[in-house]
Every structure is written in structure tokens, then in C-alpha cells.
Amino acid sequence: MSKQIAAGISVREAEVLALVGQHRSNAEIAAQLFISVRTVETHVSSLLRKAAVPDRRALADRAAELGDPEPAASPVAALPTTLTSFVGRVEEQAALRGLVVAHRQVTALGPGGVGKTRLALAVAADLAGEFAGGVWFVDLVPVTDPAMICAAVAQALGIGEQLGRGLDDSVTAALADRRLLLVLDNCEHLLDGVALFLERLLARCPGVTVLATSRSRLMVPFEQVYSVPPLSLDENADAVALFLNRAAALGWPVPTEQADRVAEICARLDGLALPIELAAARLPTLGLDGLTASLADPLRLLVGGRRADERHRSVRATLDWSQALLPEPDRLLLRRTAVFAGPFTAAAAAIVTGYPPLAPADVADGLARLTEHSLLSVVPTGTGIRYRVLATVRQYTREQLDTLGELPATLARHLAWSRSTATELTEHTGTGSWRTEFDFVADDLRAALNWAAAEAGHRAQACDLALALARITFTRNLIGESQRRYEQAAMLTDDPAVAAAALREAAATAGCRIHGAEMYRLYLAAAEVARKVGDTAAAARDLATAVSTCFRMSDTFDHLPAPQVTAELLATARDLAGDDPAAAAAVAVAECGIRSAESDGSQAISLAARAVELAERTADPLSRSAALDALAAAQWWCGDTAASAVTTRRRVELLTAAPATAAGALERVGALSEAADSCLANGDLAGARTWAAQLRDLPLLAERGDLATSRILVVEALSGDADAVRAGSRRFADAWELSGRLPAPQLAVSAAAVALVHGLRGDAPAQARWQAIATELSGPPAVWCAVFDAVLLLHAGDADRAWGELATAPDDLDEQVLWIWRHWYVALRAEAAVLARRPEAAEILDAAKNTVAGNPIASAITARATALQDGDRLAVLATATAFEAAGCPVQQARSSILGGDPDGAALMKSLGFMANP
């Protein structure tokens, strides 16, 4: 099978596969293979399909089998491809390189056009082998909002936002133990934001070195400044070499005997790199004579302006000169392209810049001419050609646009294009290459929003764009930005209904980020808006949902509101609800939580059933899901685990039709988690595996592999699939490391399950490592520790120690401590009592049979214990069939071994475990 799959893999796919096997990110793979991140995503999707594996981790595990041997892991150089060569600057390159090697933060300082970026790129490329984590380039020109600096860095490095923490923390956690060089280009317009970002980054990531380029100092601790000089103008001038190189690239080589004339031109341009490149680009049309004459008398080509000597000494003068040589339509086009923040297509430029007196049909040709004159650069992409305005040119032309009074009109057209683009993206999320397209236009959408939000006449359009961005960024897993955009939209709109709806979406998004307190705050804010306009039913829903958040997401609060506060909020919600079905349902769900501590079992179920009844009248799947969650919890704590499992399954099936919103995503995570837990509690490993696999594959958990794999690891460990556990545990460990090894009690059981598998395999070092992770996650041991230890000890034949782990009677344990493990604990305790020859074994066994009735695995364990107590070898062997039917081969093999079947040891070994007696 593997050979057939391997035969269908292309050469490029094999390269991608090998790097996936090294657990490289998509950004790292793209940089090493010189392809786009989207192309990498496409190859990975194709490989998943061809290999018939469910996720990237499984693909990484099969990389060696499916592809060629892995190439040597070399440091990544994720630097932009330049279309022209780097010329000269040997001494400058050596000096800057020395500073970067010796210091953690170096700023290449100089005016626009002096050549800072090209020098920084040359140094970074030269240093690639010195940084095991690679060298990474981040262009800050498109970033117009200081709050988005970290997002630009994250996108460049392929780092996603981790649930439970902001993007800033996600980036620093991901880079905490990596040694890499980060190049931040064009920082001057974001000085305060860059300074804050760097202080945090350098403090938390000791292996990170930053090389920045800027026109101004960053003023951060430990900053070392290197002032980039103009190109040399001596007899071996770098300036002349640059001009000659660029002229030759255009097909206009300059004869050696005319080098002195080139030197004169370069001297007039003060050795500045950009002016020299602009002048060289004009050589085919002006020739050396024309260039010399134009630069000698720039006033002949200009109307008004400053002194001629100032023009000779500044980049601005050269840009004045270069633009004056353009025909008027091209000058107009160049000015208008300044409103684009990032790379843009000809089609986008035609929409934004193609208005009278410039015809849309003429834009494409104009862009080509501007590129020929080095005023625009070409950005090849997998989806076609895009154009970029050089940073210095953009600043210059935007000032011109403003001076001529054309800036507002052009920005308004850019805003209209941004809104249209964002709307189209929201309609196609999840299909085609929308992610790539969004990544290209994201900075422009953000820039348009920033401008519109500050313009009183465009606040309505800004609100629409903020809402669209919120929806797109949520789907793109930029969840922190999504919440921010929803809140921004609420502030921008004059319509209270829109504001309240946006705040509700922001609240749900905060929930998806595992920030219960934020979710609570935002629902209260939505209620306040609704109350001010007299929408009492909506206010009641919001207040009740805020109260429910305190119970449904209690473990995500740093400090829960006082019980008196939530009781008062619920009372207000009840008064406001009236006869509105949705409000009544929300209040009923909140009452289930607030009264659970004071209600007995029958009262809790009655309250929850009433909530379900009210929610059914709303036809809202999310309202119904919340009510079913309350009912399942009540059934669980009353001991009716079978009924709870049925209710939870209803909830999961209901959510298949739920809207693709933040609230829907949050409900799915909760429902699938609880469905997997309830099936596990009832011994339904097949059902638990189904729901756990769906949880693992949720897009919302893509950046939190520890959360995503948490349930599936436990299921596979108890069923005995060692290979699946080893594969999933890598994703779990990687994600937990990236999260900063934060304590997470809900994840400790997953780490303990991995330790169990290594224990069954006889791998003591790995077992100890994962037990340490479980302890670090949770602190003191829990009931599942006793269950897993008992499984391992009984497997090893040490019944006395197993009994010691389970000696406490289940009725003496708190129900919340037993959680989903009651049946497992009771059944294993009975078997340990029998094998340890405890005098109370018969009594314990009889009680266990009643407790675990209906649980196929726990019942098989108690049946095996009964057969062992009776010395009935055939009855012991019969339980192997029961375990096989329940999908639990590790217990099946153990029954065969205990019953004296020689095939039992072979089965145990085939599972990868030791065949102990």
C-alpha cells in the first residue's frame, strides 16, 4: 500500500513531505523550498488525501515510509526574493554583520533610499547558518496599526493564535526556546508599537536576535545603531558599480570609457541607492547625455519647488525629477497607488485608481511602465502578478496626493474596494484559495478600516468593514483580532441593534479564546445597550447568558463574580424576560447553574427539563444546545450516565445544523468534549473515538494540538492503540510546549494516558517523562491516576499494589472527583480485590456488578473478576470475546493470557505491549 501511495507523490510533494516529517511549519517549508505558504498548504492537503491519514501529525509519522529519506535539516532563510543582485558594500556588510552577531537588537539607521533594506537582507542571508531557527523577514510597510505588528510577525513565521492566550503571547511562547534572526523592515512609522513589541519579545525569548531598519532610532533597551552610509563615490565606487549593474540588466551596458560620466551622475545623486536605481532605469529613454542634462538642470523639468542644490542632495529631489519625466497619466497613477498598504493586483488598481481623468483600461499598461522605471516593484505570487509601491516612493506620493487634495477621494475608493473585497471573502470562506487572497489583502482592509473609523462621514462603512473583518479573521483563526473587530464595530455604529449583536459576537469569540471573564463582560455590555433602547427581551437573554457563562465556563475565570451578583443579575433577567421564548429559555438555563448547588437530583433534572422544553420553542440550535448541556449535567450528577450520554448525543447531532459563528464553534467544542467523555464513562469506546476525532479536527483547535488531541489520546490509550497514542502525543507535546507549559488540569489525564501506554510497552523513561508532564499540568493526583495505575499494575500482575491504589470505596469519594471514571474505578477495584485475595472481595464484586450494568467494558472486567474468583478458566476466556466486541483489544489480550490461551501473548505483543502473566 505504501509503495502505491509513494508512487503517486510528485517530486515537490516528496520535498514537502520530508519537511513535514521534521515537524516544520508551513512558513518554514515555504521558505526552504522557495514557494508560497498557500502552495505548501495545497501540497499538504494533497498528501493527507493520498496517504489516507487524518491530520498533519499522522502524515509526519509516515513521512519516512512514504517519501525519500529526510534531507538534512538546515536553517531556514525566509527572506524575500529580489529580482536584482546586491552590489558592493563589502565593508558595510561586515560591520553590520559583526554588530548582529554581538548584540540582540541592531537598528540599521538611515534616510529613505539609502539602501537599508538591501543591506539588511544581504547580512541576514549571510547569517542564515548561524541561527538554527532560521532568519525571518517581516515587512512593516503595510502595517498601519501598531496593534497589528505582532500579527505581521506571526504571519511571516507561520505562528497561529493559541486558544487561551493572545497573539502576542502565542508568538513569544512559540519563540521562547528558538534561536533565530528576525528582520523587521521599515519601522519608522510604528516606533512606539515596535518598541513595545521588541521589549516584550527580547525579554521572553533569549534566543531571538532582531535586525531592524528604520529612519529613526527605536529607543529600546540594548539597541545598537548602525548608520547606513551612502554608497562610496571613490575610484572603486559602489555607486558606479550599482548604476552599471542595473543598466546592464536593462540591456543598456555602459562602455568602460564612459564610467567617469556615470560617476558624475552618482555624485550628483549623493551616492543614494534608490536615486541611482531610478536614474539607471531612465538610461534607455534619456541616455547618459539626457541624464546628465536633466540632473544638471532639474528646474527645467519642474514647476516650482526648492533650491536646485537641495534637490541634488535628497531622495525627494530625485523622486521629483523621476516623476517629472513621466507622462501625466502615469504621474496620476503613481500618486493614487500610494493608498495601497500591501501588494495589489492590476484589477484592484483599476478599481481604486481608474477614475477620471484616468481610464480603468489604461491602468495595467501604466503599472507596467512604472515598474520599468523602478517606481513600482513586481511581486510574483502563486495566483499571479502583484505590484508593490516602494516604501520611500509610497511616502512621497501619498504626501503629493494629500497636497493636491486628491487623497480623500482616492481613500474613499480604496475603502469601497476594501468593503467589496471583504464581503466577497466572507461569502467564500472555506472554499478555494480564500485564505491566500485574504492574507494578501488583509493589510489593505485594516488600513481602510483605520482611515474610515477616524472619518465621521465614513463610520457606517467602517462598521460594515469591521464586521466583515471580524467574520473573516475568526475563520482564519485570528480569534483575538476577530473579538477586537466586533467590539470596534459596536463602537462605530449608531444603530443599537447592530451594536448589541456585535457585542454578543464579541462575547462568543472571547469564549472561543477561553476568556470567560471577557465573555461575561461583553454579554453584560450587550444587555446594557439593549436595555437603553427598550429591548427588554434581548437584555434578559444577554444577562442570563452572562450568568450561565459563570457556570458553563467557570474554569476560565481568574475570579468568578460573587454569588450575590449573579443572583441579582438573574433576578433582573427574569423580570425583563416577559413571555419571550428565547429569553425564558436563557433564564431557565441560567437557573440550572445557579440552583444546582442547592437542588437535589430530581429538582436539578426537573429544572433542566424545563429549560429544554422552553428552548425547543425557539428553534434556535444554540439555545437548545445550552439547555441540553444543562440536562446532561443534571443527569450525570444524578448517576444516570446512560441518559446523560443520550442527551449529549442529541446535542452533538443538533449542532450539525448550527451556524458557522463563534457561538456555534464554542458550543461544538463543548458538545464534542462532553460526548467523548460520556461515551468513555459508559464504556462506548467506538462512540468516544468518533466524537474525540471530530474534536481533534475542529478548525478552532488547529493551534492548540494539546486541547485537540486530549480526548482521543485517552480513548486510544484505554483501547490499546499504542501507535495512535504515540502519534497524537507528539502533537500534544508540541502544542503544550508552544503554550509555555501552562498548568491545565483538564489536560493532565491525557498526559497520564500517554504515560500508561509507555508503561504497558515497558518504556520506563518515556513513562516517567509523561507522568511528570501530567503532574506539571494538574498538580495533585486525581482518580484517573488511580485508574491508570491500576490498569498498569494489574497488567504487570501486581494485584496488591493495584488494590492499594483503589482501596478507597467509591462512595467515600466526591462525585466530582470520580467524574467519568466511576465505572472504570469500580470494576478495576473489584478485580484488584479478587486477585489480591481481599476478604471483602465477594461483597465488592457484587456491588460492582450492579454499578456498572450497561457498561460493556466495565461489565466484562467484573465478569472476568468473577471467573477468576471462581477459578473458571473458560469463563475467563469468554470475556475476551466481550472485550473484542467492545473494541478493547488490550483487555481482550489480557483475558486470553489469564485464561491460558497462548494466542493472548501474541495479541498483546502485536499491540506493542509486554505480555506479562
Side-chain angles (χ1 to χ4, degrees), residues 67-142:
D68 294 329
E70 292 185 0
S74 57
V76 170
L79 302 173
T81 301
T82 55
L83 302 180
T84 55
S85 59
F86 182 71
V87 177
R89 290 202 184 272
V90 175
E91 293 181 3
E92 295 94 324
Q93 190 172 347
L96 183 56
R97 186 188 196 281
L99 284 175
V100 174
V101 169
H103 303 280
R104 293 193 59 211
Q105 202 280 300
V106 179
T107 301
L109 194 69
V114 76
K116 302 183 296 296
T117 298
R118 292 302 296 270
L119 178 61
L121 285 173
V123 169
D126 186 50
L127 285 170
E130 304 293 325
F131 292 89
V135 295
W136 301 86
F137 180 85
V138 183
D139 182 10
L140 294 181
V141 169

Side-chain angles (χ1 to χ4, degrees), residues 800-890:
D800 289 331
R801 286 181 61 198
W803 169 256
E805 293 289 336
L806 304 170
T808 304
D811 290 342
D812 293 336
L813 294 171
D814 186 275
E815 188 65 35
Q816 292 189 6
V817 174
L818 276 173
W819 188 38
I820 65 173
W821 300 104
R822 172 178 282 277
H823 288 181
W824 293 85
Y825 186 94
V826 167
L828 290 168
R829 183 171 185 266
E831 184 169 78
V834 168
L835 292 174
R837 302 184 185 281
R838 301 293 303 178
E840 65 271 37
E843 180 182 350
I844 291 174
L845 187 55
D846 286 341
K849 290 177 184 177
N850 293 327
T851 299
V852 304
N855 183 319
I857 294 176
S859 294
I861 292 173
T862 56
R864 183 171 63 197
T866 301
L868 290 169
Q869 185 182 49
D870 297 341
D872 189 340
R873 185 180 70 86
L874 292 179
V876 171
L877 289 174
T879 64
T881 303
F883 284 119
E884 181 180 16
C888 193
V890 65

Side-chain angles (χ1 to χ4, degrees), residues 131 181 194 230 255 349 356 363 452 500 502 573 668 733 806 903:
F131 292 89
L181 173 62
V194 170
V363 168
R668 285 188 185 90
L806 304 170
D903 291 339

Side-chain angles (χ1 to χ4, degrees), residues 664-726:
L666 183 60
E667 285 293 324
R668 285 188 185 90
V669 171
L672 288 170
S673 300
E674 292 171 15
D677 287 346
S678 65
C679 287
L680 191 63
N682 287 286
D684 179 7
L685 291 181
R689 184 179 291 106
T690 296
W691 306 129
Q694 289 186 25
L695 179 72
R696 176 196 61 201
D697 297 335
L698 284 178
L700 182 62
L701 301 183
E703 301 297 337
R704 282 300 303 267
D706 47 355
L707 290 175
T709 60
S710 58
R711 265 67 178 186
I712 197 74
L713 285 173
V714 177
V715 175
E716 300 297 10
L718 290 174
S719 67
D721 192 337
D723 290 339
V725 171
R726 289 202 302 272

Side-chain angles (χ1 to χ4, degrees), residues 390-413:
L390 302 178
T392 304
V393 176
R394 182 175 181 270
Q395 182 184 31
Y396 167 84
T397 52
R398 189 169 176 121
E399 289 175 0
Q400 280 196 324
L401 202 62
D402 192 18
T403 300
L404 295 171
E406 300 174 354
L407 185 58
T410 311
L411 284 172
R413 292 183 66 87

Side-chain angles (χ1 to χ4, degrees), residues 412-635:
R413 292 183 66 87
H414 180 258
L415 172 62
W417 168 80
S418 296
R419 290 179 61 205
S420 175
T421 301
T423 300
E424 185 175 353
L425 284 170
T426 60
E427 294 171 352
H428 295 91
T429 51
T431 62
S433 59
W434 76 270
R435 288 181 177 84
T436 302
E437 182 60 27
F438 170 71
D439 290 346
F440 274 126
V441 302
D443 288 314
D444 273 292
L445 303 186
R446 292 164 180 150
L449 175 56
N450 287 345
W451 174 75
E455 298 290 324
H458 292 287
R459 285 174 62 87
Q461 295 97 316
C463 176
D464 290 343
L465 182 52
L467 289 172
L469 257 179
R471 290 189 287 269
I472 300 168
T473 50
F474 182 84
T475 308
R476 192 68 181 92
N477 261 11
L478 300 172
I479 306 175
E481 181 178 359
S482 178
Q483 179 184 333
R484 178 184 171 204
R485 299 305 178 193
Y486 278 124
E487 293 190 63
Q488 185 178 18
M491 291 188 296
L492 287 169
T493 184
D494 295 326
D495 185 340
V498 173
L503 288 169
R504 291 178 195 113
E505 290 291 346
T509 305
C512 291
R513 299 178 64 213
I514 321 181
H515 288 308
E518 283 286 284
M519 189 177 183
Y520 173 78
R521 172 184 68 81
L522 289 163
Y523 272 121
L524 291 183
E528 183 65 20
V529 173
R531 289 185 74 177
K532 284 182 178 179
V533 295
D535 191 349
T536 56
R541 291 198 305 272
D542 294 331
L543 289 173
T545 306
V547 172
S548 295
T549 298
C550 298
F551 301 99
R552 301 185 73 198
M553 300 192 66
S554 59
D555 58 342
T556 70
F557 281 75
D558 291 331
H559 302 286
L560 281 167
Q564 181 181 352
V565 172
T566 53
E568 290 175 355
L569 289 174
L570 183 56
T572 302
R574 193 181 299 110
D575 291 341
L576 295 173
D579 58 0
D580 182 81
V587 168
V589 170
E591 285 177 335
C592 291
I594 209 165
R595 294 186 182 178
S596 59
E598 60 193 46
S599 303
D600 61 26
S602 60
Q603 288 175 324
I605 290 179
S606 178
L607 281 171
R610 173 63 176 162
V612 171
E613 178 187 348
L614 290 170
E616 290 290 344
R617 301 176 186 176
T618 69
D620 175 14
L622 301 185
S623 176
R624 294 163 66 192
S625 172
L628 288 172
D629 185 27
L631 178 59
Q635 291 167 329

